[in-house]
Each structure stands twice: as structure tokens, then as C-alpha cells.
Short mmCIF file of all heavy atoms in Angstrom, two decimals:
data_model
loop_
_atom_site.label_atom_id
_atom_site.label_comp_id
_atom_site.label_asym_id
_atom_site.label_seq_id
_atom_site.Cartn_x
_atom_site.Cartn_y
_atom_site.Cartn_z
N MET A 1 0.85 -1.23 0.02
CA MET A 1 -0.02 0.00 0.04
C MET A 1 0.84 1.26 -0.01
O MET A 1 1.80 1.37 0.76
CB MET A 1 -0.88 -0.02 1.25
CG MET A 1 -2.00 0.97 1.21
SD MET A 1 -2.95 1.00 2.78
CE MET A 1 -4.39 0.13 2.21
N THR A 2 0.53 2.22 -0.87
CA THR A 2 1.41 3.42 -0.90
C THR A 2 0.93 4.38 0.20
O THR A 2 -0.12 4.18 0.78
CB THR A 2 1.24 4.12 -2.24
OG1 THR A 2 -0.14 4.62 -2.36
CG2 THR A 2 1.47 3.22 -3.41
N ALA A 3 1.74 5.38 0.46
CA ALA A 3 1.44 6.42 1.45
C ALA A 3 0.18 7.11 1.09
O ALA A 3 -0.66 7.45 1.92
CB ALA A 3 2.60 7.30 1.58
N THR A 4 -0.06 7.33 -0.23
CA THR A 4 -1.25 8.06 -0.69
C THR A 4 -2.47 7.25 -0.37
O THR A 4 -3.50 7.80 0.16
CB THR A 4 -1.14 8.39 -2.20
OG1 THR A 4 0.01 9.01 -2.42
CG2 THR A 4 -2.31 9.21 -2.60
N THR A 5 -2.48 5.94 -0.70
CA THR A 5 -3.66 5.18 -0.41
C THR A 5 -3.87 5.01 1.08
O THR A 5 -5.00 4.91 1.59
CB THR A 5 -3.65 3.84 -1.12
OG1 THR A 5 -2.42 3.19 -0.74
CG2 THR A 5 -3.67 3.96 -2.61
N THR A 6 -2.75 4.98 1.87
CA THR A 6 -2.88 4.94 3.29
C THR A 6 -3.62 6.19 3.80
O THR A 6 -4.54 6.12 4.58
CB THR A 6 -1.51 4.89 4.00
OG1 THR A 6 -0.87 3.69 3.51
CG2 THR A 6 -1.65 4.78 5.51
N ALA A 7 -3.22 7.38 3.29
CA ALA A 7 -3.88 8.62 3.70
C ALA A 7 -5.37 8.59 3.30
O ALA A 7 -6.20 9.05 4.08
CB ALA A 7 -3.20 9.83 2.96
N GLN A 8 -5.70 8.03 2.20
CA GLN A 8 -7.09 7.98 1.72
C GLN A 8 -7.87 7.02 2.62
O GLN A 8 -9.00 7.30 3.02
CB GLN A 8 -7.19 7.51 0.32
CG GLN A 8 -6.89 8.63 -0.67
CD GLN A 8 -6.64 8.16 -2.14
OE1 GLN A 8 -6.54 6.98 -2.32
NE2 GLN A 8 -6.53 9.09 -3.03
N ALA A 9 -7.18 5.90 3.01
CA ALA A 9 -7.87 4.94 3.89
C ALA A 9 -8.13 5.54 5.30
O ALA A 9 -9.22 5.41 5.83
CB ALA A 9 -7.01 3.74 4.05
N VAL A 10 -7.08 6.29 5.76
CA VAL A 10 -7.30 7.00 7.07
C VAL A 10 -8.46 7.98 7.02
O VAL A 10 -9.25 8.07 7.89
CB VAL A 10 -5.96 7.63 7.51
CG1 VAL A 10 -6.23 8.47 8.81
CG2 VAL A 10 -4.93 6.53 7.73
N TYR A 11 -8.52 8.71 5.86
CA TYR A 11 -9.56 9.70 5.69
C TYR A 11 -10.93 9.04 5.72
O TYR A 11 -11.92 9.57 6.29
CB TYR A 11 -9.25 10.48 4.39
CG TYR A 11 -10.22 11.63 4.23
CD1 TYR A 11 -10.31 12.71 5.21
CD2 TYR A 11 -11.08 11.76 3.15
CE1 TYR A 11 -11.18 13.72 5.06
CE2 TYR A 11 -11.93 12.81 2.95
CZ TYR A 11 -11.99 13.78 3.91
OH TYR A 11 -12.85 14.83 3.78
N GLN A 12 -11.08 7.92 5.01
CA GLN A 12 -12.33 7.22 4.95
C GLN A 12 -12.72 6.79 6.36
O GLN A 12 -13.89 6.87 6.77
CB GLN A 12 -12.23 5.96 4.07
CG GLN A 12 -12.05 6.25 2.61
CD GLN A 12 -13.21 7.13 2.10
OE1 GLN A 12 -14.38 6.87 2.31
NE2 GLN A 12 -12.89 8.21 1.39
N HIS A 13 -11.75 6.34 7.12
CA HIS A 13 -11.96 5.88 8.48
C HIS A 13 -12.39 7.07 9.31
O HIS A 13 -13.32 6.99 10.13
CB HIS A 13 -10.61 5.34 9.02
CG HIS A 13 -10.76 4.45 10.18
ND1 HIS A 13 -11.39 3.22 10.15
CD2 HIS A 13 -10.37 4.64 11.52
CE1 HIS A 13 -11.38 2.71 11.31
NE2 HIS A 13 -10.80 3.49 12.12
N TYR A 14 -11.82 8.21 9.13
CA TYR A 14 -12.18 9.42 9.85
C TYR A 14 -13.60 9.92 9.49
O TYR A 14 -14.39 10.18 10.36
CB TYR A 14 -11.13 10.54 9.47
CG TYR A 14 -11.43 11.90 10.15
CD1 TYR A 14 -11.53 11.97 11.57
CD2 TYR A 14 -11.53 12.99 9.42
CE1 TYR A 14 -11.82 13.21 12.11
CE2 TYR A 14 -11.85 14.24 10.00
CZ TYR A 14 -11.97 14.31 11.40
OH TYR A 14 -12.23 15.50 11.98
N LEU A 15 -13.92 9.83 8.23
CA LEU A 15 -15.27 10.21 7.84
C LEU A 15 -16.34 9.21 8.43
O LEU A 15 -17.38 9.70 8.88
CB LEU A 15 -15.46 10.13 6.32
CG LEU A 15 -14.74 11.26 5.50
CD1 LEU A 15 -15.04 11.09 3.98
CD2 LEU A 15 -15.16 12.64 6.02
N ALA A 16 -16.00 7.95 8.44
CA ALA A 16 -16.89 7.02 9.04
C ALA A 16 -17.07 7.28 10.53
O ALA A 16 -18.18 7.15 11.13
CB ALA A 16 -16.35 5.56 8.86
N HIS A 17 -15.98 7.69 11.20
CA HIS A 17 -16.05 8.02 12.65
C HIS A 17 -16.97 9.25 12.84
O HIS A 17 -17.84 9.26 13.70
CB HIS A 17 -14.67 8.30 13.17
CG HIS A 17 -14.66 8.87 14.54
ND1 HIS A 17 -14.82 8.05 15.65
CD2 HIS A 17 -14.67 10.11 15.05
CE1 HIS A 17 -14.84 8.81 16.76
NE2 HIS A 17 -14.72 10.10 16.46
N LEU A 18 -16.73 10.27 11.99
CA LEU A 18 -17.58 11.52 12.13
C LEU A 18 -19.02 11.16 11.95
O LEU A 18 -19.92 11.77 12.63
CB LEU A 18 -17.19 12.53 10.96
CG LEU A 18 -15.85 13.19 11.08
CD1 LEU A 18 -15.84 14.34 10.04
CD2 LEU A 18 -15.77 13.88 12.44
N ASP A 19 -19.37 10.23 11.12
CA ASP A 19 -20.73 9.87 10.82
C ASP A 19 -21.42 9.37 12.11
O ASP A 19 -22.65 9.65 12.29
CB ASP A 19 -20.70 8.78 9.79
CG ASP A 19 -21.98 8.87 8.89
OD1 ASP A 19 -22.38 9.98 8.64
OD2 ASP A 19 -22.48 7.76 8.49
N GLY A 20 -20.70 8.74 12.97
CA GLY A 20 -21.36 8.17 14.15
C GLY A 20 -20.92 8.84 15.44
O GLY A 20 -21.31 8.36 16.52
N CYS A 21 -20.19 9.94 15.38
CA CYS A 21 -19.63 10.50 16.60
C CYS A 21 -20.25 11.90 16.90
O CYS A 21 -19.93 12.82 16.18
CB CYS A 21 -18.09 10.61 16.48
SG CYS A 21 -17.43 11.28 18.07
N ARG A 22 -21.11 11.98 17.84
CA ARG A 22 -21.73 13.28 18.16
C ARG A 22 -20.74 14.32 18.60
O ARG A 22 -20.79 15.46 18.12
CB ARG A 22 -22.82 12.98 19.19
CG ARG A 22 -23.59 14.23 19.55
CD ARG A 22 -24.78 13.92 20.43
NE ARG A 22 -25.22 15.08 21.21
CZ ARG A 22 -25.97 16.06 20.65
NH1 ARG A 22 -26.29 15.95 19.41
NH2 ARG A 22 -26.25 17.07 21.41
N PRO A 23 -19.81 14.08 19.54
CA PRO A 23 -18.84 15.11 19.93
C PRO A 23 -18.10 15.70 18.75
O PRO A 23 -17.95 16.94 18.70
CB PRO A 23 -17.87 14.32 20.89
CG PRO A 23 -18.70 13.23 21.43
CD PRO A 23 -19.62 12.82 20.38
N CYS A 24 -17.64 14.85 17.83
CA CYS A 24 -16.91 15.40 16.68
C CYS A 24 -17.85 16.28 15.79
O CYS A 24 -17.36 17.29 15.26
CB CYS A 24 -16.37 14.20 15.86
SG CYS A 24 -14.80 13.58 16.50
N ARG A 25 -19.05 15.95 15.68
CA ARG A 25 -19.96 16.66 14.82
C ARG A 25 -20.26 18.06 15.39
O ARG A 25 -20.57 19.01 14.65
CB ARG A 25 -21.30 15.98 14.62
CG ARG A 25 -21.03 14.74 13.72
CD ARG A 25 -22.24 13.82 13.88
NE ARG A 25 -23.10 13.94 12.69
CZ ARG A 25 -24.06 13.04 12.34
NH1 ARG A 25 -24.18 11.98 13.08
NH2 ARG A 25 -24.77 13.23 11.30
N VAL A 26 -20.15 18.22 16.72
CA VAL A 26 -20.39 19.58 17.29
C VAL A 26 -19.08 20.19 17.76
O VAL A 26 -19.05 21.05 18.62
CB VAL A 26 -21.44 19.46 18.46
CG1 VAL A 26 -22.82 19.08 17.89
CG2 VAL A 26 -20.97 18.54 19.54
N GLU A 27 -17.97 19.62 17.25
CA GLU A 27 -16.63 20.13 17.51
C GLU A 27 -16.30 20.13 19.04
O GLU A 27 -15.75 21.08 19.62
CB GLU A 27 -16.44 21.49 16.91
CG GLU A 27 -16.53 21.45 15.44
CD GLU A 27 -16.25 22.82 14.74
OE1 GLU A 27 -15.55 23.60 15.39
OE2 GLU A 27 -16.71 23.01 13.62
N GLN A 28 -16.69 19.09 19.72
CA GLN A 28 -16.28 18.88 21.07
C GLN A 28 -15.14 17.93 21.11
O GLN A 28 -14.87 17.17 20.23
CB GLN A 28 -17.49 18.18 21.82
CG GLN A 28 -18.71 19.03 21.99
CD GLN A 28 -18.43 20.30 22.83
OE1 GLN A 28 -17.97 20.21 23.97
NE2 GLN A 28 -18.57 21.53 22.28
N PRO A 29 -14.34 17.97 22.25
CA PRO A 29 -13.22 17.06 22.35
C PRO A 29 -13.63 15.61 22.19
O PRO A 29 -14.62 15.18 22.82
CB PRO A 29 -12.68 17.28 23.76
CG PRO A 29 -13.21 18.66 24.19
CD PRO A 29 -14.47 18.84 23.43
N CYS A 30 -12.81 14.88 21.47
CA CYS A 30 -13.08 13.40 21.21
C CYS A 30 -11.78 12.70 21.11
O CYS A 30 -11.01 13.04 20.20
CB CYS A 30 -13.97 13.19 20.04
SG CYS A 30 -14.06 11.49 19.53
N GLU A 31 -11.48 11.81 22.03
CA GLU A 31 -10.19 11.13 21.97
C GLU A 31 -9.98 10.37 20.66
O GLU A 31 -8.90 10.46 20.02
CB GLU A 31 -10.10 10.17 23.16
CG GLU A 31 -8.68 10.09 23.74
CD GLU A 31 -8.70 9.26 25.02
OE1 GLU A 31 -9.21 9.75 26.05
OE2 GLU A 31 -8.24 8.10 24.89
N ALA A 32 -10.97 9.63 20.26
CA ALA A 32 -10.81 8.85 19.05
C ALA A 32 -10.70 9.77 17.87
O ALA A 32 -9.88 9.55 16.95
CB ALA A 32 -12.04 7.93 18.87
N GLY A 33 -11.47 10.84 17.84
CA GLY A 33 -11.41 11.83 16.74
C GLY A 33 -10.04 12.50 16.65
O GLY A 33 -9.45 12.65 15.59
N ASP A 34 -9.44 12.85 17.82
CA ASP A 34 -8.13 13.41 17.89
C ASP A 34 -7.06 12.48 17.33
O ASP A 34 -6.23 12.87 16.57
CB ASP A 34 -7.75 13.76 19.35
CG ASP A 34 -8.43 15.06 19.81
OD1 ASP A 34 -8.97 15.78 18.99
OD2 ASP A 34 -8.35 15.33 21.04
N ARG A 35 -7.25 11.24 17.73
CA ARG A 35 -6.27 10.19 17.26
C ARG A 35 -6.35 10.09 15.73
O ARG A 35 -5.36 9.98 15.06
CB ARG A 35 -6.55 8.88 17.94
CG ARG A 35 -5.41 7.95 18.02
CD ARG A 35 -5.64 6.85 19.01
NE ARG A 35 -6.93 6.24 18.89
CZ ARG A 35 -7.80 6.07 19.85
NH1 ARG A 35 -7.45 6.38 21.11
NH2 ARG A 35 -8.93 5.51 19.67
N LEU A 36 -7.58 10.06 15.22
CA LEU A 36 -7.73 9.95 13.78
C LEU A 36 -7.22 11.19 13.07
O LEU A 36 -6.63 11.05 11.95
CB LEU A 36 -9.26 9.75 13.46
CG LEU A 36 -9.71 8.36 13.71
CD1 LEU A 36 -11.23 8.28 13.73
CD2 LEU A 36 -9.17 7.37 12.63
N ARG A 37 -7.44 12.39 13.64
CA ARG A 37 -6.96 13.58 13.00
C ARG A 37 -5.41 13.60 12.98
O ARG A 37 -4.80 14.00 11.96
CB ARG A 37 -7.51 14.85 13.73
CG ARG A 37 -8.91 15.17 13.24
CD ARG A 37 -9.36 16.50 13.83
NE ARG A 37 -9.63 16.40 15.23
CZ ARG A 37 -10.78 16.05 15.79
NH1 ARG A 37 -11.85 15.80 15.00
NH2 ARG A 37 -10.96 15.96 17.08
N ARG A 38 -4.83 13.12 14.05
CA ARG A 38 -3.32 13.04 14.06
C ARG A 38 -2.84 12.07 13.05
O ARG A 38 -1.90 12.30 12.34
CB ARG A 38 -2.85 12.69 15.52
CG ARG A 38 -2.55 13.89 16.35
CD ARG A 38 -1.69 13.50 17.54
NE ARG A 38 -2.30 12.40 18.33
CZ ARG A 38 -3.13 12.60 19.32
NH1 ARG A 38 -3.48 13.77 19.66
NH2 ARG A 38 -3.64 11.58 19.99
N ALA A 39 -3.48 10.87 13.00
CA ALA A 39 -3.07 9.81 12.05
C ALA A 39 -3.26 10.35 10.59
O ALA A 39 -2.43 10.11 9.75
CB ALA A 39 -3.97 8.60 12.26
N LEU A 40 -4.32 11.09 10.38
CA LEU A 40 -4.59 11.67 9.01
C LEU A 40 -3.50 12.65 8.66
O LEU A 40 -3.00 12.58 7.58
CB LEU A 40 -5.99 12.35 9.00
CG LEU A 40 -6.46 12.86 7.68
CD1 LEU A 40 -6.43 11.73 6.62
CD2 LEU A 40 -7.85 13.48 7.83
N ARG A 41 -3.16 13.52 9.57
CA ARG A 41 -2.07 14.47 9.31
C ARG A 41 -0.76 13.79 9.04
O ARG A 41 -0.07 14.18 8.09
CB ARG A 41 -1.93 15.45 10.55
CG ARG A 41 -1.36 16.76 10.19
CD ARG A 41 -1.72 17.87 11.21
NE ARG A 41 -1.64 17.34 12.59
CZ ARG A 41 -2.56 17.57 13.51
NH1 ARG A 41 -3.59 18.25 13.23
NH2 ARG A 41 -2.42 17.09 14.72
N ALA A 42 -0.45 12.80 9.81
CA ALA A 42 0.78 12.02 9.61
C ALA A 42 0.77 11.33 8.28
O ALA A 42 1.77 11.32 7.57
CB ALA A 42 1.03 11.08 10.76
N ALA A 43 -0.35 10.70 7.97
CA ALA A 43 -0.50 9.94 6.69
C ALA A 43 -0.37 10.91 5.50
O ALA A 43 0.33 10.59 4.51
CB ALA A 43 -1.76 9.19 6.71
N ARG A 44 -0.99 12.07 5.68
CA ARG A 44 -0.88 13.06 4.54
C ARG A 44 0.51 13.58 4.40
O ARG A 44 0.98 13.78 3.31
CB ARG A 44 -1.88 14.18 4.76
CG ARG A 44 -3.25 13.72 4.39
CD ARG A 44 -4.20 14.88 4.57
NE ARG A 44 -5.52 14.53 3.94
CZ ARG A 44 -6.61 15.15 4.17
NH1 ARG A 44 -6.68 16.18 4.96
NH2 ARG A 44 -7.75 14.80 3.53
N ALA A 45 1.18 13.83 5.56
CA ALA A 45 2.57 14.30 5.49
C ALA A 45 3.48 13.29 4.84
O ALA A 45 4.31 13.59 4.01
CB ALA A 45 3.03 14.60 6.93
N ALA A 46 3.24 12.00 5.13
CA ALA A 46 3.99 10.89 4.56
C ALA A 46 3.72 10.82 3.01
O ALA A 46 4.61 10.59 2.24
CB ALA A 46 3.64 9.57 5.23
N ALA A 47 2.43 11.06 2.69
CA ALA A 47 2.08 11.07 1.26
C ALA A 47 2.74 12.21 0.46
O ALA A 47 3.07 12.03 -0.71
CB ALA A 47 0.55 11.10 1.09
N MET A 48 2.98 13.28 1.15
CA MET A 48 3.53 14.51 0.53
C MET A 48 5.07 14.30 0.35
O MET A 48 5.65 14.89 -0.52
CB MET A 48 3.30 15.71 1.33
CG MET A 48 1.86 16.15 1.53
SD MET A 48 1.28 16.87 -0.02
CE MET A 48 -0.27 17.36 0.54
N ASP A 49 5.67 13.57 1.29
CA ASP A 49 7.12 13.49 1.35
C ASP A 49 7.63 12.21 0.79
O ASP A 49 7.41 11.15 1.44
CB ASP A 49 7.47 13.65 2.84
CG ASP A 49 9.04 13.69 2.95
OD1 ASP A 49 9.73 13.39 2.00
OD2 ASP A 49 9.48 13.90 4.10
N PRO A 50 8.19 12.21 -0.37
CA PRO A 50 8.62 10.97 -1.03
C PRO A 50 9.66 10.25 -0.22
O PRO A 50 9.74 8.98 -0.32
CB PRO A 50 9.17 11.45 -2.40
CG PRO A 50 9.39 12.90 -2.23
CD PRO A 50 8.48 13.39 -1.20
N THR A 51 10.42 10.91 0.63
CA THR A 51 11.41 10.21 1.40
C THR A 51 10.77 9.33 2.51
O THR A 51 11.44 8.48 3.06
CB THR A 51 12.41 11.22 2.02
OG1 THR A 51 11.68 12.02 2.97
CG2 THR A 51 13.11 12.06 1.01
N ASN A 52 9.48 9.71 2.84
CA ASN A 52 8.82 8.93 3.84
C ASN A 52 8.16 7.67 3.30
O ASN A 52 7.80 6.74 4.06
CB ASN A 52 7.71 9.77 4.54
CG ASN A 52 8.34 10.59 5.68
OD1 ASN A 52 9.48 10.36 6.09
ND2 ASN A 52 7.59 11.56 6.09
N SER A 53 7.84 7.68 1.99
CA SER A 53 6.95 6.55 1.45
C SER A 53 7.57 5.18 1.67
O SER A 53 6.84 4.28 1.77
CB SER A 53 6.68 6.84 0.03
OG SER A 53 7.88 6.87 -0.71
N ARG A 54 8.90 5.14 1.65
CA ARG A 54 9.48 3.79 1.83
C ARG A 54 9.29 3.22 3.27
O ARG A 54 9.40 2.07 3.47
CB ARG A 54 11.04 3.91 1.58
CG ARG A 54 11.40 3.20 0.25
CD ARG A 54 12.88 3.40 -0.01
NE ARG A 54 13.01 4.43 -1.05
CZ ARG A 54 14.02 5.17 -1.21
NH1 ARG A 54 15.07 5.08 -0.39
NH2 ARG A 54 14.09 6.09 -2.17
N ARG A 55 9.02 4.11 4.17
CA ARG A 55 8.82 3.66 5.54
C ARG A 55 7.33 3.30 5.80
O ARG A 55 7.03 2.81 6.88
CB ARG A 55 9.27 4.73 6.53
CG ARG A 55 10.81 4.81 6.63
CD ARG A 55 11.20 5.67 7.76
NE ARG A 55 10.92 7.04 7.51
CZ ARG A 55 10.50 7.92 8.47
NH1 ARG A 55 10.37 7.51 9.66
NH2 ARG A 55 10.27 9.19 8.15
N ASP A 56 6.53 3.48 4.81
CA ASP A 56 5.11 3.14 4.93
C ASP A 56 4.97 1.62 4.94
O ASP A 56 5.15 0.93 3.95
CB ASP A 56 4.34 3.72 3.71
CG ASP A 56 2.89 3.26 3.77
OD1 ASP A 56 2.35 3.12 4.89
OD2 ASP A 56 2.31 3.14 2.73
N ASN A 57 4.59 1.08 6.10
CA ASN A 57 4.47 -0.38 6.20
C ASN A 57 3.03 -0.69 6.71
O ASN A 57 2.83 -1.73 7.29
CB ASN A 57 5.55 -0.93 7.13
CG ASN A 57 5.55 -0.27 8.46
OD1 ASN A 57 4.72 0.49 8.80
ND2 ASN A 57 6.59 -0.56 9.26
N GLY A 58 2.15 0.22 6.46
CA GLY A 58 0.77 -0.09 6.87
C GLY A 58 0.58 -0.27 8.38
O GLY A 58 -0.15 -1.17 8.75
N GLY A 59 1.30 0.50 9.11
CA GLY A 59 1.26 0.30 10.60
C GLY A 59 0.02 0.71 11.32
O GLY A 59 -0.03 0.60 12.48
N LEU A 60 -0.96 1.22 10.56
CA LEU A 60 -2.19 1.64 11.28
C LEU A 60 -3.11 0.50 11.60
O LEU A 60 -3.35 -0.36 10.81
CB LEU A 60 -2.98 2.71 10.39
CG LEU A 60 -2.31 4.09 10.44
CD1 LEU A 60 -3.04 4.98 9.38
CD2 LEU A 60 -2.52 4.72 11.81
ZN1 LIG B 101 -15.30 11.54 17.62
#
């Protein structure tokens, strides 16, 4: 799996979480949402940076 598809998969996961998470929908603190947002940022950063793509081992 490439870093780009990992970022897309994390984003899908995040959207699915938003769908069922009331705190996230009203912008309240949510531990799971925070974790997903961090993972998404990291996955996107990896997708942007070609030097990172080799380290992508699907660790999520
Ligand atoms: Zn949430």
C-alpha cells in the first residue's frame, strides 16, 4: 500500500467516525477523533514527502 492510499484509507476511516460521533460533529473534544486527525495529518505528511513513502508499512 502506498502512502497516498494509506492517507485515503485513514480519511475514509475518519469520515466513518464523524458519521457516528456526536462530539466530533459539534466540535467537542473526542479522543478517538483526535487520534484519527493526528493519524490523518501524519499519513498526509507521509504522502507528501517521497522520502517517507519507503517507511510506509501499513502500521495503522
Ligand atoms: Zn469523535
Side-chain angles (χ1 to χ4, degrees):
M1 191 184 259
T2 68
T4 304
T5 55
T6 300
Q8 283 167 350
V10 173
Y11 186 59
Q12 291 304 312
H13 201 65
Y14 178 57
L15 288 184
H17 173 82
L18 287 187
D19 212 35
C21 183
R22 183 172 157 77
C24 279
R25 289 165 100 164
V26 296
E27 295 183 24
Q28 293 295 303
C30 170
E31 214 174 286
D34 281 350
R35 203 163 48 228
L36 282 167
R37 279 187 289 272
R38 270 199 302 274
L40 184 57
R41 203 157 42 225
R44 282 183 169 165
M48 296 285 185
D49 184 353
T51 62
N52 274 347
S53 61
R54 248 176 258 152
R55 287 191 290 145
D56 175 31
N57 54 12
L60 281 173

